[in-house]
Amino acid sequence: MARNRTVNYAVVDIKLLREGTTVETYVELFEELRSNPRQIPLERNNYLKFRFIKPLNEDNLLNGFSGEVFKSNGITSDWYDEEKNERNRNKNVEENYIPSNLKANPRFFKFIFFPLHQKLVCEVKDPDNEIQIGLLEKFLKKLIITDKLQDKFGRIIVSTVPEVISAEKIINSKTLKRIHICIEKPESDVLFELDQKVISHIVDTNTESYMQTYIAGKNDFLSLNDDVKELIKFAAEHGIIEYKTENEEGLIEDKSTAETNPLIVRVQYDPDVTDQHYLIQSKALEIVSGIN
């Protein structure tokens, strides 16, 4: 029996802001991208492009499109010729000596775009491939936000969907390793909402900031009582919560309600039972439907 694998998905929001835009307009946009593929050069010698785009249902394009983002890493433009004892910068060695059909360090990321939701779900990490979400966002911006496409479709906004960290999300986590709560001295009209113990600490001791830290044992996770849960709920509105949690891969993640982090959806699957191609088709709609 094969060991379960984990694949991470990110979500990118694509908005067309011209008046009169419909679901069919988003279909038209992706038909345009489908017929005019372009390779986009990015920092650190990375090159990205849509390897292919195809409808999920040829008879109903409104269902969306599936495809693959292809990433390669170009060979450096900084060369040294030992025979001539000279350094050649910006010499196009690849063009002169390497066939254009050969790409270095290839990586492949499946995606699905839903016109109805205006969202693209894309793989960003699996055991064989990984891409920074920021790099994926830059690629889509350079590919889609062009003068030509904006003349045709109006103003276009491309942005990564952020993770929304609610009090309930923190409270419901079963793998909390550490919580640090900081509540700045609130305005008098919200003091009555605070737990009496917190009021005592803030008011009676003339404290500007109230802080509480909870740390789990070495091999344990935190178990929150009702008082701590109420404190978390209040801090989510009137303060900052920083916490550490263990993800499905056994890695510790640092989270904060004060920062904007991209939404990452992790899915575990058995490769003997499910192929990644079918996995994203079964999970992508569930992911975008769960986004407010």
Side-chain angles (χ1 to χ4, degrees), residues 64-98:
F65 296 85
S66 66
E68 197 167 71
V69 174
F70 178 77
K71 172 179 172 287
S72 61
N73 188 262
I75 297 175
T76 179
S77 58
D78 187 1
W79 296 85
Y80 182 77
D81 190 325
E82 290 185 316
E83 292 184 357
K84 295 181 180 180
N85 290 320
E86 64 181 23
R87 191 169 192 167
N88 294 309
R89 283 197 175 97
N90 303 317
K91 184 178 180 181
N92 201 335
V93 174
E94 297 147 89
E95 184 177 283
N96 293 330
Y97 299 105
I98 300 174

Side-chain angles (χ1 to χ4, degrees), residues 183 186 190-204 210 212 214 225-235 238:
I183 301 173
V190 297
L191 277 174
F192 70 91
E193 298 181 42
L194 279 163
D195 179 89
Q196 189 61 43
K197 293 179 182 178
V198 179
I199 296 175
S200 175
H201 279 291
I202 291 178
V203 178
D204 294 347
Y210 175 84
Q212 282 279 31
Y214 305 89
N225 61 30
D226 290 340
D227 289 341
V228 177
K229 291 177 182 179
E230 289 302 314
L231 187 58
I232 289 173
K233 290 177 182 178
F234 187 89
H238 303 290

Side-chain angles (χ1 to χ4, degrees), residues 1-132:
M1 182 177 177
R3 184 177 179 182
N4 279 357
R5 293 163 62 101
T6 300
V7 58
N8 294 355
Y9 298 108
V11 185
V12 178
D13 196 46
I14 300 173
K15 285 286 188 292
L16 306 179
L17 301 184
R18 175 170 288 171
E19 186 177 352
T21 295
T22 65
V23 179
E24 287 80 5
T25 313
Y26 286 92
V27 170
E28 189 179 350
L29 170 63
F30 266 73
E31 287 283 48
E32 181 86 15
L33 296 173
R34 184 184 182 190
S35 60
N36 296 291
R38 293 191 300 124
Q39 178 171 273
I40 304 297
L42 295 167
E43 63 265 23
R44 296 184 180 179
N45 237 7
N46 287 306
Y47 295 84
L48 277 79
K49 66 177 182 179
F50 280 145
R51 186 163 169 260
F52 68 86
I53 301 174
K54 62 182 181 181
L56 290 171
N57 184 343
E58 291 284 356
D59 297 324
N60 187 359
L61 300 184
L62 298 181
N63 283 0
F65 296 85
S66 66
E68 197 167 71
V69 174
F70 178 77
K71 172 179 172 287
S72 61
N73 188 262
I75 297 175
T76 179
S77 58
D78 187 1
W79 296 85
Y80 182 77
D81 190 325
E82 290 185 316
E83 292 184 357
K84 295 181 180 180
N85 290 320
E86 64 181 23
R87 191 169 192 167
N88 294 309
R89 283 197 175 97
N90 303 317
K91 184 178 180 181
N92 201 335
V93 174
E94 297 147 89
E95 184 177 283
N96 293 330
Y97 299 105
I98 300 174
S100 61
N101 59 298
L102 294 181
K103 304 296 182 182
N105 302 312
R107 298 291 183 269
F108 307 88
F109 307 93
K110 298 174 180 59
F111 75 85
I112 291 182
F113 174 73
F114 296 103
L116 184 62
H117 298 273
Q118 299 102 49
K119 288 179 174 56
L120 182 146
V121 179
C122 187
E123 298 173 342
V124 290
K125 183 181 179 182
D126 65 27
D128 302 316
N129 303 282
E130 184 172 5
I131 184 172
Q132 292 181 341

